[in-house]
Amino acid sequence: SQQGEEDPQALSIQEGENATMNCSYKTSINNLQWYRQNSGRGLVHLILIRSNEREKHSGRLRVTLDTSKKSSSLLITASRAADTASYFCATERGTYKYIFGTGTRLKVLA
Amino acid sequence: GAVVSQHPSWVICKSGTSVKIECRSLDFQATTMFWYRQFPKQSLMLMATSNEGSKATYEQGVEKDKFLINHASLTLSTLTVTSAHPEDSSFYICSASSGGREGISEETQYFGPGTRLLVL
């Protein structure tokens, strides 16, 4: 399969709660990236984590990477209604070429 | 910085016609552009990688004669869906990479807003 797997496929939480999404991949990577996609729009880059990094923060986002388990997680703290979107992980498959995971559809209820 | 545009944003056409979609990097030179296809509630499927001045590299299962890609300059790539059929209806998204030039992360892809194609 071209893609990695993400879980859950869909997640619904209340505003203010934390949201955690997981991504698993199959081959060795140099880095892994997380993107957000609002409905019917293009993707927005959120964060990149390299294979020699274990954790990275950006505002309310926290990304972890476990290369031994070939998995990554994205944590959004204190979620807001505006965080409602689909979230994708992407792993490198060649020079600047990335393959996207199946995605998690997050819905944050006000 | 690092803005990518796509045109048109949506298009409706009759079966059998060809449709051209443009992808432009507005404020940086894109050494590499990527074309993706996305079905409703699904992930992005990479169709092809295009480098300026050379032939595109297509992913397995993507018909190169069906989806013509031209990367004529460092700021423009086009995808032409030839003889479109209803099964070609989809959301097409392009992305661009600077290759590390102009101080833009070489590893980050910048995405266009997408083009929704409906073939009747």
Side-chain angles (χ1 to χ4, degrees), chain A residues 1 5 9 15 19-20 27 32 36 43 47 52 54-55 57 61 71 80 88 95 108 110:
Chain A
S1 169
E5 296 287 329
Q9 290 187 351
E15 205 167 27
T20 300
T27 63
L32 183 146
R36 183 186 75 223
L43 276 71
I47 199 164
N52 61 353
R54 292 295 168 260
E55 188 171 309
H57 297 254
L61 306 180
S71 69
R80 305 167 183 169
F88 296 92
T95 305
V108 180

Side-chain angles (χ1 to χ4, degrees), chain B residues 14 68 81 89 120:
Chain B
K14 292 182 179 179
L68 300 178
V81 183
S89 298
L120 302 176

Side-chain angles (χ1 to χ4, degrees), chain B:
Chain B
V3 178
V4 176
S5 70
Q6 267 183 257
H7 178 79
S9 55
W10 60 270
V11 58
I12 301 173
C13 68
K14 292 182 179 179
S15 186
T17 60
S18 294
V19 176
K20 180 186 282 190
I21 302 170
E22 293 186 348
C23 177
R24 293 181 185 273
S25 56
L26 299 183
D27 50 5
F28 68 101
Q29 294 186 326
T31 54
T32 307
M33 287 185 169
F34 304 88
W35 286 96
Y36 297 85
R37 183 174 180 177
Q38 185 179 34
F39 291 104
K41 296 186 178 180
Q42 294 188 26
S43 186
L44 283 73
M45 297 298 294
L46 180 64
M47 299 175 66
T49 303
S50 76
N51 293 292
E52 185 264 341
S54 61
K55 289 184 179 180
T57 303
Y58 290 82
E59 294 299 304
Q60 191 174 7
V62 178
E63 301 175 57
K64 60 181 181 181
D65 294 329
K66 172 76 172 176
F67 299 99
L68 300 178
I69 292 173
N70 187 348
H71 195 155
S73 76
L74 283 172
T75 59
L76 174 64
S77 177
T78 60
L79 167 68
T80 301
V81 183
T82 62
S83 187
H85 291 283
E87 58 265 30
D88 298 323
S89 298
S90 190
F91 191 53
Y92 293 88
I93 308 176
C94 73
S95 69
S97 169
S98 73
R101 299 200 282 181
E102 303 178 41
I104 297 171
S105 168
E106 61 184 357
E107 295 139 324
T108 300
Q109 290 189 27
Y110 298 91
F111 284 82
T115 296
R116 192 164 302 281
L117 170 64
L118 177 60
V119 184
L120 302 176

